[in-house]
Amino acid sequence: MRILVLGATGYLGGPVARRLRALPGARVVVGGRSPGADVPVDLAADRPRDLASTLAAVAPDAVVNCAGATGGDAVTLAEVNARGPAVLCAALREAAPAARLVHLGSAAEYGPGTPGRPVTEAAATSPAGPYGATKLAGTVAVTASGLDAVVLRVGNPVGPGAPSTGLPGRVTALLARAGRDPDTTVRLGDLSAHRDFVDVRDVARAAELAATASGPLPPVLNIGGGEAVAVRELVRRLAGVAGFRGRIVEAGGGGSARSARVSWQCSDITAARDALGWRPAHSLDDSVAALWAAMGAPPRGPEEVPAR
């Protein structure tokens, strides 16, 4: 089986590519802008006919699109998250119409949730900002493409390799710098929001199952932990595994604008279980420990962490 992975150098794409390479009989081809890519692909800039030529040469049985932008201005987000999937679908229809397409979407497409009510794939979408809106546009391009395609709507990923641009990676870096000095104070924004955290390794397993499943799949599948966890609790567990002995201070309105608008999110993951036989294998404690260990630091905790 020949599988083309786009965005394989990213936070989610790396684990996906590694998992697919371990499949017996699989040949993984990496497409992207990095010098190490097997084939050059830039979904934000390539024309459909040029990308179609690249796809025809690869002749993939499946394509897993992990490429995406989580930051930047609205133009950058639209180029990567909205235009990219549309161009990919147009090229696939021309060059490899029978290939299975697995596209990584985002739970941000749903927008604000209702506390105590996990959202199913049939829920209305009302993204709260440009990121969620552009990811939703990409999802629409994929689900309306007529291809053998599925969108995996991923919750808040956590685990080894978390980038410093996201809260888990940023907090981990802050705690590593702080060490065990009891006089250290780490200042963060409002941590009261609830999120559905899912381990990046579980996301990779879902992508593998979706790429190799026989027969058609539902157009959208939620991939999350299936539980709403306070961001404050995630930080507390990170501080525990780091052995942090100082203070964590929430500086009022210092959180992101999106967190203020989306205070609660949780995905119903029943459909992924039914369609793929998938469910999360890693607990939040597993994810936190792996995130800390990936920095090359042994666990120091547990500690009781004062906060206010």
Side-chain angles (χ1 to χ4, degrees):
M1 183 179 191
R2 190 181 304 236
I3 307 172
L4 174 64
V5 180
L6 304 176
T9 59
Y11 178 35
L12 297 180
V16 168
R18 287 192 294 273
R19 179 128 194 150
L20 292 173
R21 286 191 181 103
L23 281 174
R27 180 186 172 190
V28 174
V29 179
V30 171
R33 296 178 296 182
S34 66
D38 300 312
V39 292
V41 174
D42 184 352
L43 295 181
D46 287 349
R47 292 179 298 179
R49 65 184 182 189
D50 294 333
L51 181 56
S53 297
T54 300
L55 294 176
V58 174
D61 299 297
V63 177
V64 182
N65 182 29
C66 307
T70 58
D73 58 26
V75 173
T76 299
L77 292 170
E79 286 174 344
V80 179
N81 297 339
R83 180 190 188 276
V87 168
L88 175 60
C89 289
L92 277 172
R93 283 195 298 269
E94 179 179 340
R100 163 73 51 81
L101 171 60
V102 180
H103 174 71
L104 299 191
S106 171
E109 298 169 34
Y110 289 119
T114 301
R117 188 181 302 170
V119 294
T120 69
E121 292 82 355
T125 50
S126 182
Y131 171 69
T134 56
K135 290 297 289 185
L136 178 59
T139 287
V140 172
V142 171
T143 57
S145 66
L147 296 166
D148 176 10
V150 59
V151 175
L152 304 183
R153 267 194 184 135
V154 178
N156 282 61
V158 64
S164 59
T165 51
L167 184 132
R170 180 165 61 89
V171 172
T172 301
L174 289 171
L175 294 172
R177 288 199 295 269
R180 296 175 66 93
D181 183 353
D183 295 325
T184 300
T185 298
V186 172
R187 298 183 181 276
L188 301 170
D190 181 12
L191 302 176
S192 63
H194 284 68
R195 292 288 180 265
D196 188 338
F197 295 104
V198 59
D199 194 287
V200 292
R201 295 164 293 183
D202 285 326
V203 175
R205 185 164 51 88
E208 174 202 328
L209 291 170
T212 58
S214 59
L217 292 171
V220 178
L221 291 172
N222 289 335
I223 302 298
E227 178 184 8
V229 177
V231 176
R232 186 178 294 121
E233 174 64 15
L234 171 72
V235 172
R236 187 191 70 80
R237 296 191 193 195
L238 278 168
V241 76
F244 180 69
R245 298 168 62 191
R247 295 187 65 81
I248 294 174
V249 176
E250 298 180 39
S256 69
R258 176 176 172 267
S259 292
R261 292 192 296 265
V262 184
S263 62
W264 197 92
Q265 275 191 330
C266 183
S267 296
D268 185 319
I269 55 175
T270 304
R273 180 199 64 195
D274 294 344
L276 301 175
W278 177 91
R279 64 184 65 197
H282 297 278
S283 68
L284 186 57
D285 284 334
D286 292 338
S287 303
V288 165
L291 171 53
W292 181 255
M295 296 188 65
R300 299 172 179 162
E303 295 282 346
E304 288 298 322
V305 182
R308 71 171 186 265

